[in-house]
Amino acid sequence: MSFTQDKDSDNYATDKMAWEIIEKFIPKDKVIWSPFYCDGKQKEYFEEMGYNIIHQDKDFFSYVPEYDIIVDNPPFSKMKEICFKLKELDKPFILVAFSKVILMKWFKNYLKNIYK
């Protein structure tokens, strides 16, 4: 869902050119779920690039459609909660995020718990 009510900086929409840069890493034969809505343009961008995408203004923490992989730019202030939800969902994902996330203590512990 749109996180405008939480923090304005969480509603940064990724432009099409940025998605095109990583397009080769995103599988074309999968149903993509992009749960973080922002301005809703991501659906348009991904469809133009030939992807089957689910992109609706719904709450990521309570709504889960049928999908194969999550590809999105999540709200950074909720990154910890999002990562724990991703672990619970137990499906592949690609997130656009600050590289410093991998240096955070909670993230290191998160990875240790996944890759025991």
Side-chain angles (χ1 to χ4, degrees):
M1 81 179 189
S2 175
F3 291 94
T4 305
Q5 304 302 325
D6 295 340
K7 195 171 181 183
D8 282 341
S9 63
D10 278 344
N11 278 308
Y12 177 80
T14 306
D15 63 21
K16 186 178 179 185
M17 185 171 59
W19 292 118
E20 289 171 335
I21 291 170
I22 65 167
E23 181 176 5
K24 63 185 172 189
F25 302 107
I26 305 169
K28 295 263 188 194
D29 63 338
K30 304 292 183 195
V31 175
I32 295 171
W33 179 28
S34 294
F36 309 109
Y37 196 73
C38 292
D39 63 4
K41 292 278 190 184
Q42 190 167 336
K43 182 175 179 72
E44 176 185 324
Y45 299 156
F46 273 59
E47 286 177 344
E48 288 173 3
M49 293 188 296
Y51 292 100
N52 181 3
I53 183 170
I54 300 165
H55 187 59
Q56 303 164 312
D57 194 5
K58 298 200 177 200
D59 181 15
F60 170 70
F61 298 103
S62 64
Y63 168 78
V64 180
E66 290 293 320
Y67 74 97
D68 298 307
I69 183 171
I70 289 176
V71 179
D72 215 331
N73 178 356
F76 296 151
S77 73
K78 297 189 179 303
M79 185 64 76
K80 185 175 181 179
E81 295 89 343
I82 289 166
C83 285
F84 285 103
K85 177 69 173 183
L86 290 170
K87 182 179 179 194
E88 177 186 315
L89 293 172
D90 196 29
K91 286 196 174 185
F93 60 89
I94 299 171
L95 298 181
V96 175
F98 287 124
S99 57
K100 72 178 185 178
V101 169
I102 63 173
L103 301 174
M104 295 178 168
K105 187 176 182 176
W106 70 262
F107 191 77
K108 289 179 185 180
N109 290 332
Y110 168 78
L111 287 179
K112 283 181 192 175
N113 290 329
I114 290 177
Y115 299 108
K116 288 182 183 181

